[in-house]
């Protein structure tokens, strides 16, 4: 419904550009929020800000990892310290585990090697592993927590 309201806004204003579409989306979000204040199901209004927050968080992590790998490639000395980490997951469904593994693999310097048979752990090859516990903690409090907040 929100996308439909965005397209209606773009059609009414006659300006087909991204900023007008985003404004229409925000306007539609506000209209839907006001119309559904008394409804019991408010999940949409909590998930959309979390999705936007996750997008910017992951974009920051992606840029940071790209800069780290690019710096290591262009300098004559190598700074990487590879290692394999057994990462215990809180995700329970196949979809959650698959999405988590995809986002971990999208970040340069990390690669998913395997998922345990009981689906309780993911084995990750890390290019810059200084402290295994810090790496696990950063994934738990970062990508996994934010992703599960969106999905649940």
């Amino acid at each position: 419904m929100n996308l439909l309201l965005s397209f209606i806004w773009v059609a009414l204003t006659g300006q087909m550009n991204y900023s007008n579409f985003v404004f229409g989306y925000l306007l539609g979000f506000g209209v839907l929020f006001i119309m559904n204040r008394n409804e019991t199901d408010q999940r949409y209004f909590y998930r959309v800000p979390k999705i936007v927050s996750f997008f910017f968080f992951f974009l920051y992590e992606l840029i940071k990892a790209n800069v780290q790998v690019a710096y290591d490639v262009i300098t004559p000395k190598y700074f990487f310290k590879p290692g394999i980490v057994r990462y215990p997951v809180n995700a329970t469904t196949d979809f959650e585990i698959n999405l988590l593994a995809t986002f971990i693999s999208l970040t340069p310097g990390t690669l998913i090697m395997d998922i345990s048979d009981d689906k309780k752990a993911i084995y990750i090859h890390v290019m810059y592993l200084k402290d295994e516990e810090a790496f696990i903690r950063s994934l738990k409090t970062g990508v996994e927590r934010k992703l599960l907040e969106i999905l649940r």
Side-chain angles (χ1 to χ4, degrees):
M1 184 59 106
N2 200 355
L3 288 174
L4 180 66
L5 288 173
S6 302
F7 285 121
I8 289 172
W9 175 260
V10 168
L12 287 175
T13 59
Q15 297 177 359
M16 185 70 167
N17 54 35
Y18 294 115
S19 60
N20 196 32
F21 181 78
V22 170
F23 180 75
Y25 186 84
L26 294 174
L27 188 65
F29 186 82
V31 167
L32 289 175
F33 181 73
I34 290 171
M35 290 177 58
N36 292 328
R37 274 189 310 203
N38 298 329
E39 297 292 324
T40 57
D41 190 16
Q42 296 283 322
R43 287 181 294 176
Y44 176 73
F45 302 108
Y46 296 112
R47 282 188 181 169
V48 169
K50 287 180 183 180
I51 290 170
V52 172
S53 170
F54 180 77
F55 173 76
F56 286 114
F57 166 77
F58 188 72
L59 186 65
Y60 170 75
E61 291 292 322
L62 191 67
I63 291 170
K64 186 171 74 170
N66 274 308
V67 168
Q68 184 179 23
V69 171
Y71 179 77
D72 199 19
V73 168
I74 62 174
T75 56
K77 184 179 178 199
Y78 293 115
F79 296 102
F80 62 86
K81 183 179 182 264
I84 297 174
V85 175
R86 182 184 184 275
Y87 177 71
V89 294
N90 293 332
T92 54
T93 66
D94 289 342
F95 180 71
E96 291 172 348
I97 294 169
N98 189 12
L99 206 57
L100 176 63
T102 301
F103 278 111
I104 292 172
S105 286
L106 281 174
T107 307
T110 57
L111 178 69
I112 301 299
M113 294 179 55
D114 194 19
I115 298 174
S116 66
D117 291 334
D118 61 355
K119 298 178 184 173
K120 299 284 185 197
I122 297 176
Y123 295 94
I124 307 170
H125 180 273
V126 184
M127 195 169 163
Y128 300 98
L129 184 63
K130 293 179 180 118
D131 183 15
E132 185 175 334
E133 293 300 319
F135 175 76
I136 291 173
R137 191 172 40 256
S138 71
L139 279 182
K140 284 262 184 231
T141 58
V143 175
E144 186 174 17
R145 182 181 59 82
K146 290 180 180 290
L147 191 63
L148 291 179
E149 283 178 356
I150 293 169
L151 296 176
R152 292 183 179 167

